[in-house]
Amino acid sequence: MPADRRFAVLIDADNVSDKYIKIILDEVSTQGVANYKRIYGNWTSPSMASWKNVLLDYSVTPIQQYSYTTGKNATDSAMIIDAMDILYSGKVEGFCLVSSDSDFTRLASRLREGGMTVIGMGEKKTPKPFIAACNMFRYLDVLAAQPEAEPEPEPEAEPAPAAGAQAAPEKDREKEKAKPAKAKSARKKAAQPEPPAPQEDPELTAMRGAIKAIVAEQSDEDGWLAVSMIGNLLVKRYPDFDVRNFGFSKLTPFVLSLGIFEVRTERGKDNARQAYVRLK
């Protein structure tokens, strides 16, 4: 079970803001349990003051690393050495490397070679090689910008019809009065030039093509493919894929928003609903 997997969370304090700490640990909790929570930096530096305020709240162990020389990142070296020690201890099944620095690209690759699941986290500025070296990658600045889920509003009740037989004629007279104003507004709108159509996000265009190709390759003889299968393949091919990058919380609504798929649902053996899509 994913909830039983043990992870080592290693954070590069030089390249990550303390405002992301809750997001980091919440994301790891969806994949397993954080057995190790360590953060690396020069804690004598005033720039680390904001991190000191949250370490106790989230039980993160600070690892002191002095900057011995100018231009050399000693924090990276300490983090890499600890990662390899933990790898050889055999006490975890995965690592979460939190940094926007490409220096950890080789470390991520080495950990995967050792059979570890590697989750990367950083901001959108993170270089592509580091992202590609991870099993999956999460953009912290994108997740931080996600609005909190709000409860759906209750549908409003239909207004009761007005009492008396004269209610309908009165409404008709109001409609007749509104017709000239509506016609004038329509003529004014027609006289204005149409605004240029907004260009679609290149990432969204690329993702539409990728999902279309997956459905074409993996679907059954009737063209249907489980949405869960799409999600698994997308993460394998694109480690930084996350529907939240596009403003969605679940995969099925995102796939439907692309406008080229139809969907059906059915219950599986465990009575859980499973969604399937195919090209229109």
Side-chain angles (χ1 to χ4, degrees):
M1 294 290 291
D4 296 328
R5 287 189 298 178
R6 299 166 296 176
F7 279 84
V9 181
L10 308 181
I11 304 172
D12 176 10
D14 293 337
N15 285 284
V16 176
S17 169
D18 63 287
K19 67 182 180 181
Y20 297 132
I21 184 63
K22 184 177 187 303
I23 295 173
I24 293 167
L25 298 179
D26 285 351
E27 284 296 305
V28 173
S29 70
T30 65
Q31 302 294 325
V33 178
N35 274 26
Y36 293 84
K37 291 184 286 186
R38 297 180 181 178
I39 183 167
Y40 300 78
N42 182 4
W43 300 103
T44 63
S45 171
S47 62
M48 295 290 116
S50 59
W51 266 112
K52 293 178 183 178
N53 297 328
V54 301
L55 298 184
L56 287 176
D57 293 341
Y58 292 92
S59 187
V60 180
T61 304
I63 306 298
Q64 170 63 30
Q65 186 59 52
Y66 292 101
S67 300
Y68 298 111
T69 59
T70 303
K72 299 293 184 180
N73 196 334
T75 299
D76 291 2
S77 300
M79 190 166 155
I80 291 169
I81 292 170
D82 269 12
M84 297 309 297
D85 285 344
I86 295 171
L87 171 66
Y88 291 126
S89 74
K91 295 179 179 179
V92 298
E93 288 77 45
F95 283 79
C96 177
L97 305 179
V98 187
S99 179
S100 298
D101 192 342
S102 63
D103 289 349
F104 295 105
T105 301
R106 181 66 188 107
L107 174 61
S109 298
R110 177 63 184 86
L111 294 174
R112 290 185 66 180
E113 289 171 0
M116 297 289 106
T117 297
V118 179
I119 304 171
M121 296 188 193
E123 295 183 329
K124 290 284 284 185
K125 65 183 180 181
T126 306
K128 290 295 183 183
F130 179 38
I131 295 172
C134 301
N135 292 97
M136 62 183 71
F137 194 92
R138 297 289 181 258
Y139 294 118
L140 295 173
D141 44 351
V142 173
L143 298 182
Q146 294 290 318
E148 293 186 5
E150 297 181 358
E152 295 185 3
E154 293 292 331
E156 296 183 1
E158 290 290 334
Q166 294 182 351
E170 184 65 27
K171 182 181 284 188
D172 291 340
R173 283 195 294 271
E174 291 178 1
K175 288 183 178 179
E176 289 298 324
K177 290 179 182 179
K179 281 183 179 179
K182 289 183 178 179
K184 184 177 179 181
S185 176
R187 288 195 299 270
K188 184 177 180 181
K189 185 177 180 181
Q192 296 176 348
E194 289 290 334
Q199 293 187 345
E200 189 176 73
D201 181 357
E203 290 186 12
L204 183 60
T205 302
M207 196 51 57
R208 178 186 287 110
I211 295 176
K212 183 178 180 180
I214 288 174
V215 173
E217 295 167 4
Q218 304 291 331
S219 60
D220 62 20
E221 58 184 12
D222 294 323
W224 294 100
L225 181 64
V227 173
S228 58
M229 177 68 74
I230 295 174
N232 291 337
L233 292 174
L234 281 175
V235 172
K236 290 178 180 178
R237 298 182 185 185
Y238 306 93
D240 60 342
F241 172 74
D242 188 341
V243 293
R244 291 170 294 184
N245 296 344
F246 303 96
F248 289 83
S249 59
K250 294 186 180 296
L251 182 57
T252 301
F254 169 66
V255 173
L256 288 180
S257 74
L258 300 176
I260 59 175
F261 298 101
E262 58 179 303
V263 64
R264 69 177 173 86
T265 59
E266 62 181 43
R267 293 193 179 275
K269 295 180 180 179
D270 56 356
N271 207 34
R273 282 191 172 277
Q274 175 71 282
Y276 296 83
V277 298
R278 71 176 176 185
L279 286 168
K280 288 183 178 179

